[in-house]
Structure formats: C-alpha cells, structure tokens
Amino acid sequence: MTQALKVTVVGTGYVGLGTAIMLAYLGHEVVGLDVDQAKVEQLSGGELPIYEPGLDQLLLDSMERVRWTTDYETAIPDADVIFICVGTPPNKDGSPNLKYVAQAARSIAQNLNGKTQVIVNKSTVPVGTGDWVARILEEHAREYHANRYLVVSNPEFLREGTALFDSLYPDRIVLGSDHAEGIERMKTLYAPLLDQSFTPPAYVPRPEGYTRPELVSTALSSAEMIKYAANAFLALKISFANEIAGLCERVGADIGEVARGIGSDARIGPRFLAAGAGWGGSCFGKDTSALISTGLEYGYSMPILQAAIEVNNRQRSLIISKLQMHLHRLKGKRVAVLGMAFKPNTDDLRDAPAHDTIARLGDLGATVVAHDPVAMPRARREWQHLNYHEAASVQDALRGADAVIIATEWDEYRHQDWSAVTGGMRQRLIIDTRNILTTRPEGVTLEQIGRRQMAAQAAPELPEAQFSDGVVVTGIGVKELLGTPSGNLS
C-alpha cells in the first residue's frame, strides 16, 4: 500500500500539472500552487489550461486528492516534498533565465516550518542550481535548520503528447542529492512507480512486457547534467538525420531507407532518426543552448552541439527554398500551412517550425491559411504578431491554394484523402516536411525531406516493427514522435 505523502507542486505548466496530477493519482495528497489566479480557478473547476491526451481524465480520477491554490502560506508548511516546476526560458545568450526559480525558492523558504522537508528541482536548470537553491533557502528561511531542508534534483523526461505514458511507465527515474535522507524520501514518494504497484488507468494501459523503471541515484550535479545531456544528444541525433537527408537528396538516396538501415544497428537504434522540418518545442533548443552556454562559462567550447543548432535552423529555411523552387515568386501566392503545434497531440507552440514558416511567408508577400486540429485557439492568443487566416478544415485551407506545407505530423493529415482535398487547389503542390505521405496522389507535385520522388501509385506493404511507446519502424522510414523523452520537453 502506498505511503501517502503531502506534496506541493509550485508551477502548473506542462511539467507541474503532469507531476501534480500523476502523484495524486498514485495516492498522495497534493497541492498545486501557481501565482496565476485565473489558472488556479480553471483547475479547481476540473478544466486544464493545456492540451495533453488523457490528462483531463486523470485529473477527474484524482480530484479528491489534489487542490489548487495561489497561497504559499497554506501550501508549504505541512508539505513533505515540495517540487519547483517553474519555467526557465532562455536569455538572449542562450543561458536559462532562473528568475522564476529564485522567486519560487524564496517564497518556499519564507514558509518552511522547521521539520525535515525535501525541495525538488523539477525545472530544467543548469549544473550548480541545486546548491544555489540551497543557499536561497538558508538565507530566506525564517528559522533555518541545518540538514532539514534537503535539495534533490529530479529531472523530468516527458514527451508532450505522450506525457501520461512517460510519467507512469518511465525508462528511468533520476534522483540526485548530496543528502541520503532526501533520496530515501523520494524513493518513498515514487514507490508505486518503482514497484509498478498502482492500478493502470484504462486509457493509459501498462505496455506488455514492461516491468519497472531503473532508479538512477546520483550526486546533485550529475542529475542536473543528465537532463541537459539527454536532450542535447537527442537534438544531435535529429540534426544528424537531417544533415544526411540533405545529402540523400543530392545523391539520389532515400533517408527513410537509410534511417531504417542505420537504425537497425542496436548501437544506434531507430528513434529520433526521422528527417523533417527540425526539432522545436520548449526543450531541445533551449537545453542545447544552455549546455553550450555552461561550457562557455568554463572556457569550454562545444562545436558538435553548435553544429546541431545550425543544421536545425537550416531545415527551416529549406522549407521555403523548396517552395520557391516550384512557385518561384511567392508574392501574391496563397499557401496553406497544416499543423501549428511543434508536434502532434499537443497544443504547445513554443519554437514550432510552423511559426517561422508563417512569418517568412508573410515577409515574402504570400497569403497564409493555417489549420491545426488542436492548437488554433492557443495560436490566437500567442501568435497575434503573425499574419495568417484560420481554416476550419483541411479542405478549407487548401481551397484555391498554390501550395500546401505539412508542418506537423498529425494523424489527421497522415490519413487524409489527398487526391480529394487537393482537387480545389490552384496548383497541386505539397511540401511534406514530415515525410508522412507514403504515396503521391495522381497529378500532385510532392516534395519531401531527403526522399526520392515516388511514383503516383500505392506503396507496397512493408515489414513493420512496433515499439512499446508507439514508435513504428517500416521499410519506408521511421514514424516517430519527435518530442523529447522529457517532452520537452519541459
């Protein structure tokens, strides 16, 4: 039986919400704290401020064990474990902005009550932040008690769109601290996950063959480094695939076939080898830049990671180049952009390739019509600086268009009847930046990333391998969630 702990989660963004609701589902008594009163009221009413498949149902199943507040004075003193899950947006130089972490740490310190409490850095923070938070607690606690306020680093590895799966059935749980007591309390907190003793929700079933996650217990600084290193490596892997895709186009090879061939090597693996418009979201770019920035602080250059960023930026320019190759001048042209979120199954728009594409098309004088199954309401709030028109459906977006750009690999686009919906286009040109089309509709010009031009006929049946987290590898290529094992992640 779960030993129920009292938990406070500071910050109700993607990471904080998922953490709070998941811990409540596992049987703990949870308080979600945020300074945004409107968001707290929304959550108290059982409504989520973000889109994440299944999270709304998990909230309903956990309502009796979670409450939401803006009040540090009632949320902090009795907590056994306090999570810091606030944002760490990048500064102009790529370093993470830690002002929200500092504000949260100070407010927590001012409300500690003297009993042993574990303060957990769940936010993605650079190496050394744990020690810095410990000093903030020491300086701002009303009555500081040595060795009673234990700082632990517990980085998250959630992919937006599959965050529930990643939370309940993780590959590993990383706990970093210089205090053994802090690690032990976190083991108690996560016991249902470590033992897989909880009842799986029907809408997120335990995958066949899954046993339990690995517990990785480290020093505080090592845990902080693990998060950055993991995301930077995955970003590097995607950029490598995109760089090879560019060469494939020039020599007549197919990146899907190449990815299948190298991904079959157990040392490499098939995941994160999908060529496309490049990575986006809140994690890969931010965390890679932060790691480079940390290196510069110590006079240590990281040219491989810098190259990964440069390749990713080049992929976004490639989309416009492919469009210009066919349409030449874009001024006065009508272009449909399908997909606004940075990846499917989320409404997160942070660093989405579609944003840069829409902005550049506007600069070049094109009229842009955009569609997304989920993210359009969020874009109305966050993309007011962009000039585009919304479309209620794919067919509406394509009507009268000179070209369509598939920017996000939503299943709705993958399974679209393209022969039908392209009939209303002025010019039947598809720029498939995610390589989701396996056939070329008759009469359509199809541009993909690193792929040979395919004949206008159905593709043959190909062998397929299914992974436990939903990744599929076929002879055409890799159908892949381009999110992070964090989710940016984060």
Side-chain angles (χ1 to χ4, degrees), residues 17-29:
L17 272 180
T19 300
I21 296 170
M22 182 266 290
L23 289 173
Y25 180 80
L26 295 180
H28 300 293
E29 184 180 329

Side-chain angles (χ1 to χ4, degrees), residues 53-361:
L55 191 58
D56 52 350
Q57 184 60 51
L58 199 72
L59 173 59
L60 293 177
D61 292 345
S62 311
M63 286 285 281
E64 64 183 29
R65 291 181 297 278
V66 61
R67 68 179 180 88
W68 311 93
T69 184
T70 60
D71 185 14
Y72 277 90
E73 291 185 4
T74 59
I76 298 301
D78 293 332
D80 299 306
V81 180
I82 303 163
F83 284 87
I84 298 177
C85 298
V86 297
T88 55
N91 293 310
K92 290 183 179 180
D93 64 355
S95 63
N97 187 330
L98 299 179
K99 69 176 182 179
Y100 301 114
V101 174
Q103 290 170 2
R106 283 194 296 268
S107 297
I108 290 169
Q110 292 163 0
N111 290 281
L112 297 170
N113 72 356
K115 72 172 187 176
T116 300
Q117 292 174 287
V118 175
I119 294 84
V120 183
N121 273 337
K122 195 78 170 174
S123 299
T124 301
V125 293
V127 177
T129 303
D131 293 330
W132 178 61
V133 167
R135 297 292 79 74
I136 292 176
L137 298 177
E138 181 178 345
E139 292 169 2
H140 293 274
R142 292 172 181 170
E143 293 184 21
Y144 181 75
H145 301 269
N147 298 321
R148 290 191 187 176
Y149 308 134
L150 313 177
V151 176
V152 173
S153 175
N154 173 217
E156 53 82 22
F157 300 98
L158 309 179
R159 299 165 299 173
E160 290 177 35
T162 59
L164 280 193
F165 182 96
D166 297 336
S167 296
L168 297 174
Y169 315 113
D171 296 323
R172 76 288 203 197
I173 294 176
V174 176
L175 301 174
S177 182
D178 299 327
H179 300 278
E181 187 176 356
I183 296 290
E184 290 304 313
R185 183 168 295 185
M186 294 300 293
K187 288 181 181 178
T188 299
L189 180 75
Y190 283 136
L193 291 183
L194 293 169
D195 301 334
Q196 287 293 297
S197 58
F198 65 92
T199 301
Y203 42 92
V204 194
R206 184 176 288 122
E208 185 177 351
Y210 180 83
T211 53
R212 58 181 62 191
E214 179 180 357
L215 175 64
V216 182
S217 181
T218 73
L220 185 60
S221 57
S222 295
E224 294 169 335
M225 180 62 81
I226 286 170
K227 168 65 175 180
Y228 278 116
N231 277 355
F233 182 79
L234 294 172
L236 178 63
K237 197 173 182 182
I238 294 169
S239 285
F240 176 81
N242 279 325
E243 189 165 67
I244 295 299
L247 187 57
C248 283
E249 290 188 9
R250 287 157 176 78
V251 303
D254 188 295
I255 186 60
E257 296 168 348
V258 173
R260 183 189 178 203
I262 66 175
S264 298
D265 188 325
R267 297 170 300 174
I268 299 173
R271 291 182 282 181
F272 292 87
L273 286 177
W279 34 263
S282 64
C283 294
F284 282 0
K286 178 173 71 71
D287 294 356
T288 304
S289 295
L291 202 53
I292 292 171
S293 177
T294 298
L296 292 176
E297 290 180 10
Y298 292 87
Y300 185 76
S301 63
M302 307 191 79
I304 295 177
L305 297 187
Q306 188 62 53
I309 293 175
E310 292 169 1
V311 170
N312 199 64
N313 291 338
R314 185 173 67 185
Q315 289 306 109
R316 301 196 180 190
S317 300
L318 178 64
I319 299 169
I320 301 299
S321 297
K322 286 181 175 289
L323 199 61
Q324 290 172 322
M325 181 173 64
H326 293 277
L327 299 182
H328 306 296
R329 296 170 303 280
L330 298 184
K331 189 175 182 64
K333 298 295 194 300
R334 181 183 178 93
V335 180
V337 176
L338 299 184
M340 303 167 83
F342 85 94
K343 62 176 289 188
N345 298 318
T346 182
D347 62 349
D348 194 346
L349 301 168
R350 287 175 291 182
D351 197 27
H355 175 279
D356 292 359
T357 298
I358 293 172
R360 183 59 179 152
L361 288 170

